[in-house]
Amino acid sequence: MHELSITQSILNIALSSAENAGAKKINSIKITLGEMTGCVPQYIQEYFDIVSDGTIAAHAKLEFKTVPAVAQCADCGKETRLIRFRFRCEHCGSQKLTIVSGKEFLVDSIDIED
């Protein structure tokens, strides 16, 4: 359910940016979403369709770029892909990991009509 508050934030950012640019319509919003956020793009789009109704962002398409969850191992120094909460180096089995990517959540760009 945390997608609803996140979606409202996306809408607020898009509307503010569009207003500053003098836009009449928002066509699409590009979002970078890390795997570790736990957010489901389909839910975000569904909530967006609801919260954007009646605004210049109504019918805007959300385009997601997913960033994989990756960590660096403190023991062997290699990067490892984290899959479904398995926090163990795939190379040496160590659990001494530092997250490198996968927590991102950014509004990258907004396609508008002026």
Side-chain angles (χ1 to χ4, degrees):
M1 189 68 156
H2 66 286
E3 281 95 345
L4 180 56
S5 61
I6 289 169
T7 303
Q8 186 63 55
S9 295
I10 293 168
L11 177 61
N12 293 344
I13 290 167
L15 291 175
S16 176
S17 296
E19 181 181 330
N20 290 339
K24 292 185 170 60
K25 182 179 179 185
I26 297 173
N27 295 317
S28 65
I29 302 168
K30 291 185 180 177
I31 298 166
T32 297
L33 180 65
E35 287 180 335
M36 294 186 73
T37 64
C39 294
V40 179
Q42 177 185 344
Y43 296 160
I44 294 172
Q45 181 69 63
E46 289 173 7
Y47 284 132
F48 189 84
D49 293 342
I50 295 166
V51 299
S52 67
D53 190 41
T55 72
I56 64 169
H59 309 294
K61 177 162 175 32
L62 303 183
E63 300 172 16
F64 294 93
K65 174 186 163 193
T66 304
V67 178
V70 176
Q72 184 165 17
C73 180
D75 287 335
C76 73
K78 294 181 180 176
E79 287 191 352
T80 188
R81 182 86 171 11
L82 300 176
I83 300 171
R84 300 230 119 232
F85 305 108
R86 187 191 71 209
F87 295 96
R88 193 175 290 278
C89 177
E90 63 188 347
H91 305 285
C92 71
S94 174
Q95 291 182 317
K96 297 177 186 172
L97 304 175
T98 301
I99 304 299
V100 174
S101 68
K103 297 198 259 180
E104 299 82 355
F105 198 117
L106 308 162
V107 174
D108 286 319
S109 65
I110 303 166
D111 178 43
I112 59 171
E113 288 180 23
D114 32 326

